[in-house]
Amino acid sequence: MTERIQQIESEFRQFVKKIEDYKQALAVLAWDSRTGAPKKGIVQRSEVIGTLSSEVFALSTAEEMASFLGELREESVYNNLSEITQKTVDECHKDFERNVKIPKDEFKEYVMLQSQSEALWEEAKEKADFEMFRPNLEKLVAFKKKFVGYWGYEKHPYNTLLDDYEPGVFVETIDKVFGELRDQLIPLVKGVTESTHQPKTDFLFKTFPKENQKALNLDILTEIGYDFEAGRLDETVHPFAIGINPNDVRVTTKYNENDFRVAIFGTIHECGHALYEQNISQDLIGTPLCDGTSMGIHESQSLFWEKFVGQNVGFWERNYDLMKKHSSGQFDNVSLEDFYFAINESKPSLIRIESDELTYCLHIIIRYELEKALMEDKITVKELPQAWNDKMEEYLGIRPSHDGEGVLQDVHWSFGAFGYFPSYALGYIYAAQIKEAMLADLPYFDELVRNGDFAPIREWLTTHVHQYGKMKQPGEIIKNITGGGIDSKPLVRYLEEKYRRLYKF
Amino acid sequence: MTERIQQIESEFRQFVKKIEDYKQALAVLAWDSRTGAPKKGIVQRSEVIGTLSSEVFALSTAEEMASFLGELREESVYNNLSEITQKTVDECHKDFERNVKIPKDEFKEYVMLQSQSEALWEEAKEKADFEMFRPNLEKLVAFKKKFVGYWGYEKHPYNTLLDDYEPGVFVETIDKVFGELRDQLIPLVKGVTESTHQPKTDFLFKTFPKENQKALNLDILTEIGYDFEAGRLDETVHPFAIGINPNDVRVTTKYNENDFRVAIFGTIHECGHALYEQNISQDLIGTPLCDGTSMGIHESQSLFWEKFVGQNVGFWERNYDLMKKHSSGQFDNVSLEDFYFAINESKPSLIRIESDELTYCLHIIIRYELEKALMEDKITVKELPQAWNDKMEEYLGIRPSHDGEGVLQDVHWSFGAFGYFPSYALGYIYAAQIKEAMLADLPYFDELVRNGDFAPIREWLTTHVHQYGKMKQPGEIIKNITGGGIDSKPLVRYLEEKYRRLYKF
């Protein structure tokens, strides 16, 4: 019996490894397409990506997969598998169920709708014309509702959508933590807006030559502990991090010569994602577990480094001179205090991706509330623009003048990504919980940052988060670290303390 | 009947396209591995390449392929196929036969031997220790002989090896053209060596900063007509060109700050390869015909641009000022005449890849004669070093002092590439034949080069060579262009005229 189990376990792992090898090839193709693949090659490249993706889909839903899962999920067999194989079986089974439950024709129609909608959204956004995009958005919402019907749901249809990005996290929890967060943030944002103590920021926008920024970014990445032997830094219009496997995790950045913050904080952010993927256990290579456990936990890692390290005052006590050395004199008459206040400027703004850490979560909460209302049929697509603008006014005190800077600003819905947005705010919440828990083990955290001694911080994150990949769900990771559940209080404490101090209110 | 044929033709083309899509993915992975993939990712990368390559092999030798070929190769069906499908059937059939005729175990053993031998060769070369490498080389030769036995051969066993690189070209022809070439080159090399008129070359080796060389190389590639929207230029230790598809053909170069020739002539050389691949007919995409027709014809294109354009005096009449502009004064007191003589310096040397256009073919002829003798059992592996050194002395008038600069200098044999070397010299021969034929249509060739008017030259090459991909064999291409066969006389005429003039003898 045991021998038979070992044999089928090994065959299954071989089968899964093949899928994962294809996914690695797809990741390299994706990286290449985004970093400088020749323009004229686009059509051929989509063909190749299409062929490989179809193969991944075919293998993931093959008879062979079904038969592996059938055999391996039998209790007497399952209990004799290694833990990694067990979780691999779970993951493959989840994926299998998702993929086979949608009728092929409908899925094909949906994929075609997605690809039309992205281009249409772009045009509608530019023209600030919601009506132009509305019919497609209505179809996308209808498809998602139908899919939820096929997949089934517990308690709330939105839970099934959340499961794609934040497995094990449900509407009930999010309602609670987002509600508390919103109620605490609104007065804080008001306090900042009304404060008479505002930062000087003119020096942020002076010319910082690209080559000098590059040198600075390389220095900072190296100091933080990004492993350049297992990665590389390139330049793209939309920065990203991509993990091909833990030994090859690449980051990109973009340089704005009139605003150095774009590159430096963007690079640190992507580096946070990359450190996660570089430190996933090598034992998970060749399984679908060799990846971040959720969008939210992934975002917690990028935000941890961007906010709690990169915007830590100690970080700049250490690196302000390095920054000055690389720049062309723009900070010569700027005190560290003024610099620090400037890079932490907060004010309500219309565009999510340009907003700051204090206001960001409110942008997300608006999207979450609207998505949920759509799924509950409490609002129609037609009513979205008005509802959006009202919430912006209520939460942030500003109102978009047109839908291009309102409901049309984000690409996500155009490819049907409902349930994705909450992860961004969960990332902030997790990051603050992780930071508080870390302080118990590393009480001299600020000192470590000030000394550039990042190894203990990286090791702590590896031990408690990174190494597991998808072996633990987000809720389990938070539970293990904090002893409790998802909680917005640490984030509120951090923001409250920081912004009251900065803006003196 | 016709409908049935159309259906099977379309299914076959779909099947073949899948293989070709995988090959494109493999080409991107290869490019990535060579241009800056992180060091630590090497092991995983080989796994991924292994998985995809195995899939390509599996599909190329699958039952399904056998059944397609069986049906499509029936005369009544074959005659009703499009020409592209016919040639695709031929190509797939050739590949199928090659692959299925070798027993799997033997092939596996051979692949393992290859990968061991490359590392062993590297060590043996460094230590100049032929005996260290000999046992492996003997096994590699024995395998190749055995494989030829499985594949069968006509007239000469070496013909079967040639077929991998130069289909349709046989020992009989090569013996004739190489023999004539050798007999003409030996006295020419002697003339150059003994001439009292030698170039000054010291200015070649002054510092030319890398960034300036990069700018020069980009200018020259653009002028020649390399399409940057269908390609990109990167930097690698070993320069290469790689065609992923005609819309994505990439080149690399390397910069030596103390010898600008390495980059500029290397870049033009790789650009010649790239122009070939960029101009293959788009109709051939998705078939194995979308590639250079042979190693020799490929090399003829790189050499055509490197030698007949890049080392054309008119090219430098036009570009010497541009070169001076980018450099840091190293040519300020050098006349164009002296510069031109210097970049065309010729002298016998021990290392093939460092040799010049006059002596190069003799290096190849030595390797060809030895490979053929090995296959004919006229020489043993043990006798190779002595035979090598004797031929070097006979043909080039110099003798290696150890095997590291003699018989061990090239990597090719370590991975079993016997039959490959002749293509290099055939490339020179073809290039000269092509150049002479082109002159009949473009009598003002030198004028075009002097004016930087390369479009007519590119168009001529596209019409007569590039567009066909593998639709025509090398012999057919030469026949169509020249009306005759492979002939070394145009090359001899070119070299004779050029070097007698330069070296005044």
Side-chain angles (χ1 to χ4, degrees), chain A residues 299-334:
Chain A
E299 199 66 12
S300 79
Q301 296 309 294
S302 52
L303 291 169
F304 179 90
W305 287 94
E306 182 189 351
K307 305 299 179 188
F308 299 127
V309 175
Q311 298 198 344
N312 184 304
V313 69
F315 187 78
W316 290 109
E317 280 168 21
R318 176 177 176 78
N319 288 311
Y320 196 38
D321 281 344
L322 178 74
M323 172 87 126
K324 283 180 172 171
K325 196 193 83 187
H326 283 298
S327 72
S328 315
Q330 77 194 87
F331 308 112
D332 283 356
N333 298 310
V334 181

Tab-separated table of all heavy atoms in Angstrom, chain A residues 299-334:
chain	number	residue	atom	x	y	z
A	299	GLU	N	1.083	42.189	-0.728
A	299	GLU	CA	1.097	43.646	-0.608
A	299	GLU	C	1.611	44.072	0.767
A	299	GLU	O	2.255	45.109	0.898
A	299	GLU	CB	-0.317	44.179	-0.868
A	299	GLU	CG	-0.402	45.639	-1.215
A	299	GLU	CD	0.230	46.036	-2.548
A	299	GLU	OE1	0.564	45.140	-3.359
A	299	GLU	OE2	0.411	47.249	-2.764
A	300	SER	N	1.345	43.257	1.777
A	300	SER	CA	1.854	43.611	3.115
A	300	SER	C	3.376	43.667	3.119
A	300	SER	O	3.973	44.478	3.818
A	300	SER	CB	1.363	42.601	4.164
A	300	SER	OG	2.124	41.410	4.126
A	301	GLN	N	3.997	42.817	2.309
A	301	GLN	CA	5.451	42.793	2.277
A	301	GLN	C	6.022	44.002	1.546
A	301	GLN	O	7.002	44.601	1.979
A	301	GLN	CB	5.945	41.486	1.654
A	301	GLN	CG	5.568	40.260	2.474
A	301	GLN	CD	5.957	40.436	3.930
A	301	GLN	OE1	7.130	40.519	4.284
A	301	GLN	NE2	4.962	40.536	4.808
A	302	SER	N	5.397	44.365	0.426
A	302	SER	CA	5.887	45.544	-0.290
A	302	SER	C	5.658	46.801	0.541
A	302	SER	O	6.524	47.675	0.619
A	302	SER	CB	5.199	45.664	-1.651
A	302	SER	OG	3.803	45.612	-1.507
A	303	LEU	N	4.499	46.866	1.205
A	303	LEU	CA	4.195	48.052	2.024
A	303	LEU	C	5.062	48.100	3.272
A	303	LEU	O	5.465	49.172	3.703
A	303	LEU	CB	2.710	48.064	2.396
A	303	LEU	CG	1.776	48.331	1.226
A	303	LEU	CD1	0.327	48.058	1.613
A	303	LEU	CD2	1.924	49.768	0.710
A	304	PHE	N	5.338	46.937	3.845
A	304	PHE	CA	6.207	46.907	5.023
A	304	PHE	C	7.521	47.614	4.711
A	304	PHE	O	7.978	48.479	5.448
A	304	PHE	CB	6.482	45.460	5.453
A	304	PHE	CG	7.375	45.368	6.646
A	304	PHE	CD1	6.836	45.355	7.926
A	304	PHE	CD2	8.763	45.343	6.508
A	304	PHE	CE1	7.659	45.307	9.047
A	304	PHE	CE2	9.591	45.297	7.616
A	304	PHE	CZ	9.038	45.270	8.889
A	305	TRP	N	8.110	47.240	3.599
A	305	TRP	CA	9.415	47.827	3.261
A	305	TRP	C	9.285	49.270	2.809
A	305	TRP	O	10.082	50.130	3.177
A	305	TRP	CB	10.131	46.974	2.203
A	305	TRP	CG	10.633	45.690	2.801
A	305	TRP	CD1	9.993	44.488	2.819
A	305	TRP	CD2	11.864	45.502	3.522
A	305	TRP	NE1	10.746	43.554	3.502
A	305	TRP	CE2	11.910	44.144	3.933
A	305	TRP	CE3	12.928	46.324	3.866
A	305	TRP	CZ2	12.972	43.619	4.667
A	305	TRP	CZ3	14.008	45.796	4.583
A	305	TRP	CH2	14.018	44.460	4.985
A	306	GLU	N	8.250	49.538	2.019
A	306	GLU	CA	8.093	50.913	1.536
A	306	GLU	C	7.786	51.870	2.684
A	306	GLU	O	8.404	52.930	2.794
A	306	GLU	CB	6.966	50.972	0.483
A	306	GLU	CG	6.778	52.368	-0.100
A	306	GLU	CD	5.525	52.490	-0.975
A	306	GLU	OE1	4.891	51.445	-1.276
A	306	GLU	OE2	5.180	53.622	-1.344
A	307	LYS	N	6.833	51.488	3.529
A	307	LYS	CA	6.353	52.415	4.559
A	307	LYS	C	7.146	52.330	5.865
A	307	LYS	O	7.605	53.330	6.377
A	307	LYS	CB	4.865	52.151	4.863
A	307	LYS	CG	3.956	52.197	3.642
A	307	LYS	CD	3.979	53.557	2.965
A	307	LYS	CE	3.084	53.585	1.741
A	307	LYS	NZ	3.244	54.829	0.964
A	308	PHE	N	7.271	51.104	6.404
A	308	PHE	CA	7.867	51.002	7.737
A	308	PHE	C	9.388	51.049	7.711
A	308	PHE	O	10.020	51.323	8.716
A	308	PHE	CB	7.365	49.737	8.454
A	308	PHE	CG	5.883	49.745	8.658
A	308	PHE	CD1	5.091	48.693	8.238
A	308	PHE	CD2	5.265	50.833	9.257
A	308	PHE	CE1	3.721	48.706	8.415
A	308	PHE	CE2	3.889	50.867	9.442
A	308	PHE	CZ	3.116	49.797	9.017
A	309	VAL	N	9.964	50.778	6.575
A	309	VAL	CA	11.412	50.931	6.447
A	309	VAL	C	11.723	52.206	5.654
A	309	VAL	O	12.333	53.141	6.163
A	309	VAL	CB	12.058	49.693	5.783
A	309	VAL	CG1	13.543	49.931	5.560
A	309	VAL	CG2	11.838	48.446	6.638
A	310	GLY	N	11.249	52.278	4.400
A	310	GLY	CA	11.636	53.381	3.514
A	310	GLY	C	11.152	54.744	3.992
A	310	GLY	O	11.754	55.762	3.667
A	311	GLN	N	10.030	54.784	4.742
A	311	GLN	CA	9.567	56.081	5.233
A	311	GLN	C	9.800	56.218	6.738
A	311	GLN	O	9.236	57.101	7.380
A	311	GLN	CB	8.104	56.313	4.835
A	311	GLN	CG	7.975	56.338	3.310
A	311	GLN	CD	6.690	56.986	2.813
A	311	GLN	OE1	5.739	57.176	3.549
A	311	GLN	NE2	6.686	57.332	1.535
A	312	ASN	N	10.662	55.372	7.244
A	312	ASN	CA	11.074	55.456	8.648
A	312	ASN	C	12.092	56.591	8.764
A	312	ASN	O	12.976	56.727	7.919
A	312	ASN	CB	11.718	54.107	9.014
A	312	ASN	CG	12.115	54.025	10.476
A	312	ASN	OD1	12.872	54.856	10.970
A	312	ASN	ND2	11.604	53.011	11.159
A	313	VAL	N	11.973	57.375	9.801
A	313	VAL	CA	12.889	58.518	9.919
A	313	VAL	C	14.343	58.051	10.055
A	313	VAL	O	15.266	58.667	9.524
A	313	VAL	CB	12.444	59.478	11.063
A	313	VAL	CG1	12.640	58.826	12.428
A	313	VAL	CG2	13.190	60.798	10.971
A	314	GLY	N	14.536	56.936	10.745
A	314	GLY	CA	15.885	56.384	10.909
A	314	GLY	C	16.526	56.013	9.588
A	314	GLY	O	17.740	56.158	9.402
A	315	PHE	N	15.713	55.543	8.665
A	315	PHE	CA	16.209	55.172	7.343
A	315	PHE	C	16.847	56.371	6.656
A	315	PHE	O	17.877	56.258	6.004
A	315	PHE	CB	15.048	54.632	6.495
A	315	PHE	CG	15.458	54.070	5.166
A	315	PHE	CD1	16.014	52.806	5.081
A	315	PHE	CD2	15.295	54.799	3.994
A	315	PHE	CE1	16.391	52.277	3.854
A	315	PHE	CE2	15.667	54.273	2.765
A	315	PHE	CZ	16.214	53.009	2.695
A	316	TRP	N	16.226	57.535	6.873
A	316	TRP	CA	16.774	58.737	6.225
A	316	TRP	C	17.859	59.399	7.044
A	316	TRP	O	18.711	60.098	6.508
A	316	TRP	CB	15.634	59.685	5.837
A	316	TRP	CG	14.859	59.061	4.709
A	316	TRP	CD1	13.606	58.540	4.757
A	316	TRP	CD2	15.343	58.819	3.379
A	316	TRP	NE1	13.269	57.990	3.543
A	316	TRP	CE2	14.323	58.152	2.680
A	316	TRP	CE3	16.551	59.079	2.715
A	316	TRP	CZ2	14.457	57.748	1.342
A	316	TRP	CZ3	16.680	58.696	1.386
A	316	TRP	CH2	15.647	58.043	0.714
A	317	GLU	N	17.837	59.177	8.360
A	317	GLU	CA	18.990	59.628	9.148
A	317	GLU	C	20.237	58.943	8.597
A	317	GLU	O	21.295	59.532	8.478
A	317	GLU	CB	18.810	59.273	10.627
A	317	GLU	CG	17.894	60.252	11.349
A	317	GLU	CD	17.470	59.758	12.724
A	317	GLU	OE1	18.151	58.888	13.308
A	317	GLU	OE2	16.421	60.228	13.212
A	318	ARG	N	20.074	57.666	8.235
A	318	ARG	CA	21.190	56.918	7.688
A	318	ARG	C	21.499	57.312	6.241
A	318	ARG	O	22.651	57.441	5.865
A	318	ARG	CB	20.860	55.420	7.727
A	318	ARG	CG	21.917	54.553	7.104
A	318	ARG	CD	21.568	53.083	7.227
A	318	ARG	NE	22.559	52.285	6.530
A	318	ARG	CZ	23.747	52.007	7.000
A	318	ARG	NH1	24.104	52.467	8.174
A	318	ARG	NH2	24.600	51.287	6.289
A	319	ASN	N	20.465	57.468	5.417
A	319	ASN	CA	20.685	57.545	3.970
A	319	ASN	C	20.538	58.928	3.343
A	319	ASN	O	20.712	59.078	2.139
A	319	ASN	CB	19.735	56.575	3.258
A	319	ASN	CG	20.154	55.126	3.483
A	319	ASN	OD1	21.327	54.790	3.303
A	319	ASN	ND2	19.213	54.292	3.897
A	320	TYR	N	20.230	59.948	4.152
A	320	TYR	CA	20.019	61.269	3.561
A	320	TYR	C	21.312	61.782	2.908
A	320	TYR	O	21.279	62.385	1.828
A	320	TYR	CB	19.522	62.245	4.630
A	320	TYR	CG	18.914	63.522	4.080
A	320	TYR	CD1	18.132	63.507	2.930
A	320	TYR	CD2	19.120	64.758	4.722
A	320	TYR	CE1	17.567	64.674	2.436
A	320	TYR	CE2	18.551	65.926	4.234
A	320	TYR	CZ	17.784	65.889	3.084
A	320	TYR	OH	17.227	67.038	2.596
A	321	ASP	N	22.460	61.494	3.523
A	321	ASP	CA	23.729	61.933	2.942
A	321	ASP	C	24.017	61.208	1.626
A	321	ASP	O	24.496	61.821	0.671
A	321	ASP	CB	24.890	61.693	3.920
A	321	ASP	CG	24.936	62.778	4.996
A	321	ASP	OD1	24.279	63.828	4.798
A	321	ASP	OD2	25.604	62.561	6.022
A	322	LEU	N	23.692	59.921	1.592
A	322	LEU	CA	23.867	59.139	0.356
A	322	LEU	C	23.007	59.741	-0.757
A	322	LEU	O	23.448	59.930	-1.897
A	322	LEU	CB	23.438	57.684	0.614
A	322	LEU	CG	23.513	56.728	-0.582
A	322	LEU	CD1	24.956	56.352	-0.890
A	322	LEU	CD2	22.689	55.463	-0.329
A	323	MET	N	21.779	60.070	-0.399
A	323	MET	CA	20.835	60.696	-1.324
A	323	MET	C	21.406	62.012	-1.837
A	323	MET	O	21.392	62.296	-3.037
A	323	MET	CB	19.549	60.949	-0.540
A	323	MET	CG	18.543	61.748	-1.262
A	323	MET	SD	17.554	60.627	-2.225
A	323	MET	CE	15.956	61.105	-1.649
A	324	LYS	N	21.902	62.827	-0.900
A	324	LYS	CA	22.490	64.119	-1.289
A	324	LYS	C	23.666	63.906	-2.233
A	324	LYS	O	23.840	64.645	-3.205
A	324	LYS	CB	22.971	64.882	-0.042
A	324	LYS	CG	21.840	65.535	0.748
A	324	LYS	CD	22.416	66.274	1.961
A	324	LYS	CE	21.334	67.100	2.651
A	324	LYS	NZ	21.818	67.652	3.947
A	325	LYS	N	24.464	62.890	-1.943
A	325	LYS	CA	25.652	62.611	-2.763
A	325	LYS	C	25.237	62.316	-4.205
A	325	LYS	O	25.842	62.796	-5.159
A	325	LYS	CB	26.405	61.400	-2.178
A	325	LYS	CG	27.832	61.241	-2.688
A	325	LYS	CD	28.402	59.868	-2.318
A	325	LYS	CE	27.976	58.804	-3.310
A	325	LYS	NZ	28.349	57.452	-2.952
A	326	HIS	N	24.183	61.524	-4.354
A	326	HIS	CA	23.758	61.144	-5.710
A	326	HIS	C	22.990	62.260	-6.422
A	326	HIS	O	22.937	62.289	-7.643
A	326	HIS	CB	22.881	59.882	-5.661
A	326	HIS	CG	23.655	58.617	-5.455
A	326	HIS	ND1	24.604	58.175	-6.352
A	326	HIS	CD2	23.630	57.684	-4.468
A	326	HIS	CE1	25.119	57.025	-5.913
A	326	HIS	NE2	24.550	56.715	-4.768
A	327	SER	N	22.354	63.155	-5.660
A	327	SER	CA	21.531	64.190	-6.299
A	327	SER	C	22.405	65.360	-6.733
A	327	SER	O	23.602	65.385	-6.483
A	327	SER	CB	20.457	64.668	-5.328
A	327	SER	OG	21.059	65.447	-4.318
A	328	SER	N	21.754	66.337	-7.408
A	328	SER	CA	22.545	67.483	-7.893
A	328	SER	C	22.264	68.721	-7.060
A	328	SER	O	21.948	69.783	-7.583
A	328	SER	CB	22.196	67.773	-9.352
A	328	SER	OG	22.146	66.597	-10.103
A	329	GLY	N	22.309	68.584	-5.777
A	329	GLY	CA	22.208	69.759	-4.900
A	329	GLY	C	20.808	70.172	-4.486
A	329	GLY	O	20.642	71.167	-3.784
A	330	GLN	N	19.783	69.412	-4.862
A	330	GLN	CA	18.420	69.865	-4.576
A	330	GLN	C	18.073	69.854	-3.085
A	330	GLN	O	17.126	70.491	-2.675
A	330	GLN	CB	17.390	69.063	-5.379
A	330	GLN	CG	17.089	67.662	-4.865
A	330	GLN	CD	16.320	66.809	-5.880
A	330	GLN	OE1	16.899	66.160	-6.728
A	330	GLN	NE2	14.999	66.834	-5.782
A	331	PHE	N	18.853	69.096	-2.308
A	331	PHE	CA	18.547	69.019	-0.870
A	331	PHE	C	19.536	69.821	-0.010
A	331	PHE	O	19.509	69.723	1.211
A	331	PHE	CB	18.555	67.557	-0.402
A	331	PHE	CG	17.689	66.662	-1.246
A	331	PHE	CD1	18.252	65.689	-2.059
A	331	PHE	CD2	16.296	66.802	-1.235
A	331	PHE	CE1	17.452	64.858	-2.848
A	331	PHE	CE2	15.498	65.984	-2.021
A	331	PHE	CZ	16.073	65.008	-2.831
A	332	ASP	N	20.397	70.596	-0.665
A	332	ASP	CA	21.484	71.245	0.065
A	332	ASP	C	21.007	72.095	1.242
A	332	ASP	O	21.621	72.098	2.294
A	332	ASP	CB	22.334	72.092	-0.883
A	332	ASP	CG	23.261	71.190	-1.710
A	332	ASP	OD1	23.269	69.962	-1.464
A	332	ASP	OD2	23.965	71.708	-2.603
A	333	ASN	N	19.903	72.804	1.059
A	333	ASN	CA	19.440	73.664	2.148
A	333	ASN	C	18.182	73.131	2.823
A	333	ASN	O	17.409	73.885	3.383
A	333	ASN	CB	19.191	75.077	1.625
A	333	ASN	CG	20.490	75.663	1.090
A	333	ASN	OD1	21.517	75.632	1.778
A	333	ASN	ND2	20.461	76.133	-0.155
A	334	VAL	N	17.996	71.821	2.722
A	334	VAL	CA	16.796	71.225	3.294
A	334	VAL	C	17.180	70.363	4.500
A	334	VAL	O	18.004	69.457	4.362
A	334	VAL	CB	16.068	70.363	2.241
A	334	VAL	CG1	14.796	69.760	2.829
A	334	VAL	CG2	15.771	71.165	0.982
